[in-house]
Amino acid sequence: MAGAVVGHMLANGVKTVAFIGYSDGYGELWLRVMNGVTAAKGIKMVATERFNRTDTSVTGQILKILSANPDAVLVVGSGTPAVLPQATLVERGYKGRIYQTHGIANNDFLRVGGKNVEGAVLPIGPVLVPAQLPDSHPSKKPALEYVKAYEAAYGVGSHSTFGAHTWDAGLMLQRAVPEALKKAKPGTAEFRAALRDALENIKDLAATHGVFNFSPTDHNGLDGRAVVMVRIENGAWKLLR
């Protein structure tokens, strides 16, 4: 995810960036990775600020960021609390690029943020914008199938990226369980081992979040096809091509 953000920054002339993120594990992980990637790509981190999920003001942090005059600001938060730093930047007249993370990819963020979050760019799994994907993208068909099933149960516009992770896990089990059943009986240690082995041997599984290729040493299984960049435009997610 961080690599995709920095790639977009490079393509759009960003040379300096400021960071404001949660003062917890989520924020610290992003900060550590971003520091490494930006340094490797020649982008200078000019300010680092933190905030808490329950904060009602980040004015002090934003003023420090504005004083550093960065080309871009990365906001690392999740859900509606991530609106606050961006809204404060906008209210204080910041004109640079604003990036968010995949943690804000739900419609409540759009509803609460309104015009203040327009133009934000973020990396996300392809399932957020399946209808906008090119037909050649391997996740388009499974993502559309997931959205159709989910919204049939919970209403149009109700889907998000988070439930799709569980859907993808189901797709993995559909592949792996039949293979494990050939070797052992459910409920046994042998079956659990066989199921693990089958999962680790999944190849080219096109799912809502990308294409999975596992191995005994790679339990993530995803490549660059698992990330697309989107921008918030007119209160909706817009795929950047």
Side-chain angles (χ1 to χ4, degrees), residues 107 130 144-160:
N107 289 334
L144 287 172
E145 289 174 351
Y146 166 73
V147 170
K148 181 179 179 181
Y150 192 93
E151 294 190 345
Y154 299 106
V156 175
S158 60
H159 88 280
S160 72

Side-chain angles (χ1 to χ4, degrees), residues 2 18 38 81 138 151 232:
T38 54
E151 294 190 345
I232 299 174

Side-chain angles (χ1 to χ4, degrees), residues 11-133:
N12 288 274
V14 172
K15 298 185 181 301
T16 58
V17 62
F19 173 99
I20 179 167
Y22 282 160
S23 56
D24 60 17
Y26 185 67
E28 291 306 305
L29 177 61
W30 265 93
L31 178 58
R32 184 167 69 249
V33 175
M34 282 295 295
N35 275 333
V37 178
T38 54
K41 298 297 184 180
I43 296 175
K44 185 178 181 182
M45 186 76 72
V46 295
T48 300
E49 298 294 329
R50 295 170 177 80
F51 71 108
N52 298 310
R53 295 169 186 256
T54 56
D55 284 350
T56 58
S57 173
V58 291
T59 299
Q61 296 97 310
I62 295 303
L63 289 175
K64 291 178 183 178
I65 285 174
L66 293 176
S67 69
N69 194 31
D71 296 331
V73 177
L74 172 64
V75 178
V76 176
S78 59
T80 56
V83 170
L84 180 61
Q86 181 161 354
T88 307
L89 281 165
V90 171
E91 290 163 1
R92 292 284 173 170
Y94 180 67
K95 301 302 182 183
R97 294 183 177 274
I98 300 176
Y99 292 85
Q100 292 270 358
T101 71
H102 60 291
I104 59 96
N106 66 73
N107 289 334
D108 280 344
F109 178 86
L110 298 178
R111 176 182 57 81
V112 172
K115 292 183 179 180
N116 283 332
V117 298
E118 284 286 308
V121 173
L122 62 142
I124 194 62
V127 69
L128 185 68
V129 287
Q132 299 177 48
L133 296 172

